[in-house]
């Protein structure tokens, strides 16, 4: 069985869309996405530097557009998947292009929603000095206890041995100075404490925007990164996307569900690499393929056919 996954914030790199502009239809798609997102995706995906595209209001539309452009190149948005539907999931912001691939949101809706989400989360992050740090290694119960004792939230549980803590910048610094036993604390270059109550104002804005959307039911199996469960109703998917702004991402549970569903291959859409890396910890024995450039497309097509079943 095939799993199609979309990466989250931090996967973007300077110039990562440049090589895609010559692919059939890609430039036109990016121009349309730019209009819906209110962001010049071609300029920022080709010319802007690392610091510029770290801005949440830019990073989230870029990542959503990138996943959808690569999905189009692989005919994942154009085919009838009823005979051999892949399982679809996304990490954090990646859940929005995943919902579009699954048919819950249109591509326009995905970019319109991300326009609100990215801007609102950037504003919430600017209101209070907050940050995030990856805690790698250690014993999970001890790591969770240390995170809680520091006044932080376990905002992402990504894989065995990798939990991301989030909260005030001072508390993150304190955790780094007093790391749990046998664990390393790695501060992340992010704008704020995503997936915590620090994002409450953003969650309200996303909730308001979502009320304008009419959504469909998933036409492919779609996992929620709230709890790794399959979600079958479009309204439920949308509500989970809204709630996700302040709730932890449980990518570990998504990978557990993939294993239970019999996934044999994970294909990570552009800009791939992060989630296939986590699969080495959480989906041992499952083959992976990351789409990073157009040169990866032929192998990706073969990978899809191999694992679609």
């Amino acid at each position: 069985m095939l799993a199609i996954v979309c990466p989250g914030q931090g996967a973007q790199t300077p110039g990562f869309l440049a090589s895609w502009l010559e692919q059939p239809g890609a430039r036109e798609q990016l121009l349309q996405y730019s209009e819906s997102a209110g962001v010049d995706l071609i300029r920022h995906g080709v010319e802007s530097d690392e610091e510029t595209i770290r801005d949440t209001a830019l990073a989230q539309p870029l990542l959503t557009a990138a996943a959808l452009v690569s999905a189009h190149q692989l005919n994942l948005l154009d085919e009838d998947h009823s005979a051999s539907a892949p399982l679809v999931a996304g990490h954090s912001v990646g859940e929005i292009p995943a919902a579009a691939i699954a048919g819950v949101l249109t591509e326009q809706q995905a970019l319109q929603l991300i326009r609100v989400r990215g801007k609102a989360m950037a504003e919430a992050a600017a209101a209070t000095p907050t940050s995030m740090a990856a805690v790698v290694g250690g014993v999970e119960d001890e790591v969770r206890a240390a995170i809680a004792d520091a006044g932080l939230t376990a905002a992402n549980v990504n894989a065995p041995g990798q939990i991301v803590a989030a909260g005030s910048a001072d508390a993150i610094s304190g955790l780094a100075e007093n790391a749990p036993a046998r664990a390393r604390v790695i501060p992340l270059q992010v704008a704020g404490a995503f997936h915590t109550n620090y994002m409450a104002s953003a969650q309200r804005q996303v909730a308001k925007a979502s009320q304008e959307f009419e959504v469909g039911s998933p036409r492919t199996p779609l996992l929620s990164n709230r709890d790794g469960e399959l979600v079958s109703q479009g309204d439920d998917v949308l509500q989970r996307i809204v709630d996700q702004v302040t709730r932890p991402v449980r990518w570990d549970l998504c990978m557990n569900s993939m294993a239970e569903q019999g996934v044999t291959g994970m294909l990570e859409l552009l800009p791939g690499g992060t989630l296939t890396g986590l699969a080495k910890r959480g989906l041992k024995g499952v083959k992976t393929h990351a789409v990073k450039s157009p040169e990866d497309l032929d192998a990706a097509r073969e990978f899809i056919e191999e694992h679609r079943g």
Side-chain angles (χ1 to χ4, degrees):
M1 183 179 186
L2 175 69
I4 304 291
V5 298
C6 304
Q9 199 161 331
Q12 73 278 4
T13 55
F16 77 114
L17 290 181
S19 61
W20 292 85
L21 296 180
E22 302 306 317
Q23 296 301 302
R27 182 181 292 270
E28 292 75 18
Q29 287 157 7
L30 286 169
L31 288 171
Q32 292 173 2
Y33 296 161
S34 294
E35 184 174 351
S36 296
V39 170
D40 188 339
L41 296 167
I42 293 177
R43 178 166 71 86
H44 290 299
V46 174
E47 301 174 10
S48 292
D49 60 19
E50 182 176 6
E51 185 63 28
T52 299
I53 63 173
R54 188 179 295 153
D55 180 352
T56 301
L58 296 178
Q60 293 192 11
L62 282 169
L63 289 164
T64 300
L68 293 176
V69 164
S70 58
H72 266 292
Q73 295 298 316
L74 295 168
N75 294 322
L76 296 172
L77 281 154
D78 304 325
E79 292 184 344
D80 177 5
H81 296 304
S82 57
S84 53
L87 185 152
V88 182
H91 186 288
S92 187
V93 65
E95 202 161 56
I96 292 175
I101 293 167
V104 176
L105 299 172
T106 66
E107 294 166 70
Q108 182 182 26
Q109 286 175 331
L111 272 300
Q112 289 172 337
L113 187 60
I114 212 64
R115 178 178 188 168
V116 176
R117 187 184 190 272
K119 182 179 179 182
M121 290 178 72
E123 291 172 350
T128 306
T130 58
S131 191
M132 305 177 82
V135 185
V136 180
V139 177
E140 182 170 341
D141 288 345
E142 295 177 2
V143 169
R144 285 183 173 274
I147 290 171
D149 290 345
L152 298 166
T153 299
N156 298 166
V157 185
N158 285 329
Q162 188 183 117
I163 297 177
V164 176
S168 74
D170 288 342
I172 289 289
S173 297
L175 181 66
E177 293 170 0
N178 297 280
R182 299 181 297 282
R184 292 181 296 130
V185 177
I186 306 170
L188 302 179
Q189 297 299 312
V190 295
F194 304 132
H195 303 292
T196 72
N197 286 333
Y198 285 99
M199 295 290 114
S201 62
Q203 192 269 348
R204 290 191 292 271
Q205 292 187 55
V206 175
K208 182 178 179 181
S210 72
Q211 293 173 1
E212 301 177 6
F213 292 163
E214 292 185 8
V215 298
S217 294
R219 63 173 180 255
T220 72
L222 178 64
L223 293 178
S224 167
N225 61 204
R226 176 195 294 181
D227 49 20
E229 294 296 318
L230 289 167
V231 189
S232 59
Q233 298 298 319
D235 289 341
D236 189 12
V237 173
L238 187 59
Q239 186 59 55
R240 284 166 176 258
I241 287 173
V242 171
D243 294 343
Q244 179 216 56
V245 175
T246 57
R247 293 193 179 188
V249 171
R250 294 302 306 268
W251 191 251
D252 61 329
L253 298 182
C254 287
M255 290 195 291
N256 288 348
S257 292
M258 290 178 200
E260 291 169 1
Q261 293 291 323
V263 166
T264 59
M266 173 193 283
L267 176 72
E268 184 177 2
L269 297 178
L270 182 69
T274 302
L275 301 181
T276 50
L278 292 176
K280 294 177 182 178
R281 290 173 174 262
L283 280 172
K284 293 181 179 179
V286 171
K287 293 182 179 180
T288 62
H289 185 80
V291 177
K292 301 178 182 180
S293 75
E295 286 71 30
D296 298 315
L297 289 173
D298 285 343
R301 294 183 184 103
E302 294 176 3
F303 188 87
I304 289 170
E305 292 307 312
E306 178 185 355
H307 294 282
R308 183 167 269 175

